[in-house]
Amino acid sequence: MEAYFWNIFMILMGTIAIIFSFLTHRIQSRLKRNGLLEEAKMIYFSTEKSTGDSPSLTIPVFTFSHKDQNGIKTYTVKGKSNSLCKIGEVTPIYYNPENPEKEYFLPKKDFLVKYLMFFIGMFFVCLGVLYLMKNLNYPTENYFLYLIIGLFSGTFLLFSIGKIADAINRK
């Protein structure tokens, strides 16, 4: 019974990572489609303390300007990941003009999170399905078949999430 718990736990964690990846992609796509495009300039690095014994992260900080009916306002935002940058480097930024300090996307700097979470999720879904089938006493010499079934399961899950989200948005 404990083996099934860990199999289901791996599949669930993989599913959560895939959903997180999908939601991140969806937010970024919405900002690219509906947001404004400007150029952001990297001005300095912010050192973020991490929990426990993990090393601290250096997060790039960017500045960009937005012109509206009240004039030009400059905003300072942090990158979402520990990306490689140089001070003074210019990169595109998509942002929501109603909330530019909270809703923004740096397409050339913040791309790793969604892909990393997707592949981690697919790994755990495949691993969970693989070991679940092994625990259900399927022949163990056919691991390649289990891998294909796991990949199909993860892809079907992502496809289903996309269809459900599209159906919700149409209402």
Side-chain angles (χ1 to χ4, degrees):
M1 187 67 178
E2 185 179 323
Y4 294 120
F5 168 77
W6 288 111
N7 295 332
I8 300 301
F9 180 74
M10 281 191 285
I11 292 171
L12 182 63
M13 288 297 105
T15 302
I16 290 170
I18 290 171
I19 290 171
F20 178 76
S21 169
F22 175 76
L23 292 176
T24 302
H25 173 72
R26 190 169 173 82
I27 290 167
Q28 291 173 351
S29 294
R30 183 176 42 90
L31 282 171
K32 282 179 88 171
R33 187 175 51 251
N34 300 329
L36 298 177
L37 175 64
E38 291 290 335
E39 287 188 343
K41 184 176 183 180
M42 202 286 224
I43 53 175
Y44 68 92
F45 289 100
S46 171
T47 302
E48 304 288 326
K49 297 272 185 185
S50 54
T51 58
D53 294 334
S54 301
S56 58
L57 298 173
T58 54
I59 305 293
V61 178
F62 298 89
T63 185
F64 68 96
S65 298
H66 170 69
K67 183 178 180 181
D68 61 6
Q69 66 269 17
N70 298 328
I72 297 176
K73 185 164 183 184
T74 302
Y75 296 99
T76 302
V77 296
K78 290 184 182 180
K80 306 250 190 231
S81 64
N82 193 10
S83 60
L84 298 174
C85 294
K86 294 179 183 174
I87 293 177
E89 182 178 346
V90 176
T91 186
I93 184 170
Y94 291 94
Y95 64 96
N96 180 355
E98 296 172 7
N99 193 6
E101 293 177 314
K102 300 284 184 199
E103 295 182 51
Y104 59 91
F105 167 52
L106 298 155
K108 292 189 175 183
K109 301 297 177 191
D110 293 336
F111 61 91
L112 184 61
V113 173
K114 67 182 173 188
Y115 297 119
L116 184 64
M117 293 311 290
F118 176 75
F119 287 115
I120 287 172
M122 287 297 285
F123 173 76
F124 278 110
V125 167
C126 290
L127 197 63
V129 168
L130 178 73
Y131 283 114
L132 181 63
M133 294 181 83
K134 182 179 177 188
N135 289 332
L136 291 174
N137 294 323
Y138 281 88
T140 57
E141 64 273 354
N142 238 346
Y143 284 115
F144 185 71
L145 175 64
Y146 300 157
L147 179 66
I148 297 298
I149 291 171
L151 285 172
F152 175 76
S153 302
T155 305
F156 181 73
L157 175 70
L158 188 63
F159 174 78
S160 300
I161 292 168
K163 288 297 182 182
I164 290 168
D166 287 342
I168 290 171
N169 284 339
R170 286 188 195 134
K171 290 183 179 182

